[in-house]
Amino acid sequence: MSSSGAGHSGAIALAQRHDRRAHPHPEWVAALTGASGPEVARALRDIDRHVAEETEIHQRLHDGGRSFYAQIRSPLDLYAIARLARPDAVVETGVSSGISSAHFLMALQDSRRGRLFSIDLPTRQRGPKLGARESPVSLPPGRSTGWAVPDRLRRRWDLRIGPSQTLLPGAATDAGTIGVFLHDSLHTPRHLAFELATIAPRLAPGAVVMADNTTWTGRAFDRFAESLGAPVVRCGRSDLVGLRVPTDGPPATGRRRTGRLRTTR
Ligand SMILES: C[S@@+](CC[C@H](N)C(=O)[O-])C[C@H]1O[C@@H](n2cnc3c(N)ncnc32)[C@H](O)[C@@H]1O
């Protein structure tokens, strides 16, 4: 499987033109979903249905003063993962402009199934221009959480504003059985461990669990993976990691060894 991104057309080429970090990682998607190479390739090709949405996302970001696109690494992979996992519910923490949200919503729309539960405690840009010391995930003036998500994608979206410390337990309950989870909110070991412990009882067999910026979250994700007996799979050389919940449940005796699998860039 090639992950170079070379030769892509349509939505993938468009995404990469705006941000070269947006290239897909087919091997990562395959490892997390259990799908075959041709199935992953087909799911990534399906993004071509969304050239109009990708164009609108880039325009909205540009109008909001954000010159780049991939606030989450691998948004295209998130689309493919949600297509292949066919979840009844996707849960994510950390929305900002909504790049991850938009890609999950495109997948749910194409599968005609499932809802996205998103939680975000926004930070706000202080002035009309992003200050040198301010984070680009802050909301530009006049914008609200998810401001880059096209309106026509929002039908399957349950967006909740507030800290995931208080909102995640309720959202996880309302989600029912979670097929895909993404942590991209407060990146501390304690907070990631809290989020993973909160969603754990709701995870479907074979569910995909991902966390971004794990450089900052110590061993929280590894410990969770060990408790499930699942290997941690790293997306390329980044610190976006994931695992696939075993379809036969957690190991009955002791802990299985886990290991990091590296994918090609
Ligand atoms: C890295 S950004 C999310 C990027 C997003 N996933 C995307 O694809 O564009 C992190 C977001 O999490 C929010 N956040 C920080 N702490 C939070 C918390 N305790 N609960 C919920 N959201 C939080 C931040 O304000 C910010 O909007």
Side-chain angles (χ1 to χ4, degrees), residues 49-254:
R49 300 172 185 180
H50 296 286
V51 170
E53 281 87 0
E54 292 287 350
T55 304
E56 185 173 337
I57 289 167
H58 298 307
Q59 189 61 51
R60 283 174 175 247
L61 288 173
H62 180 265
D63 293 348
R66 299 292 182 264
S67 58
F68 57 88
Y69 161 75
Q71 284 179 354
I72 176 96
R73 293 177 191 91
S74 307
L76 306 167
D77 297 345
L78 298 184
Y79 170 89
I81 286 166
R83 280 287 278 158
L84 292 161
R86 296 184 59 77
D88 290 326
V90 177
V91 176
E92 67 167 351
T93 63
V95 177
S96 184
S97 65
I99 304 305
S100 49
S101 314
H103 288 81
F104 284 139
L105 289 165
M106 288 180 209
L108 299 180
Q109 180 176 291
D110 288 350
S111 299
R112 298 198 185 129
R113 132 183 207 162
R115 287 186 67 71
L116 170 64
F117 296 80
S118 304
I119 297 171
D120 190 67
L121 177 66
T123 47
R124 291 174 199 286
Q125 184 179 307
R126 282 191 291 273
K129 282 205 158 185
L130 186 69
R133 301 173 72 97
E134 284 186 283
S135 167
V137 305
S138 58
L139 298 181
R143 305 296 202 281
S144 56
T145 292
W147 54 276
V149 179
D151 293 343
R152 61 187 170 284
L153 290 177
R154 294 173 181 238
R155 202 167 59 82
R156 294 176 180 273
W157 201 12
D158 184 327
L159 172 60
R160 304 181 184 195
I161 303 300
S164 76
Q165 289 92 325
T166 55
L167 296 185
L168 184 58
T173 303
D174 294 346
T177 305
I178 300 170
V180 175
F181 174 75
L182 171 66
H183 158 87
D184 195 15
S185 58
L186 174 63
H187 301 299
T188 66
R190 189 170 166 194
H191 189 65
L192 176 55
F194 156 77
E195 290 194 351
L196 294 172
T198 302
I199 54 126
R202 306 265 164 205
L203 290 171
V208 179
V209 179
M210 295 169 282
D212 199 10
N213 296 113
T214 53
T215 300
W216 299 332
T217 52
R219 293 205 70 249
F221 198 87
D222 300 288
R223 286 206 186 92
F224 179 67
E226 284 163 16
S227 74
L228 294 173
V232 176
V233 189
R234 184 186 284 273
C235 181
R237 294 185 190 172
S238 76
D239 61 357
L240 170 62
V241 301
L243 62 77
R244 184 165 190 239
V245 174
T247 49
D248 55 354
T253 53

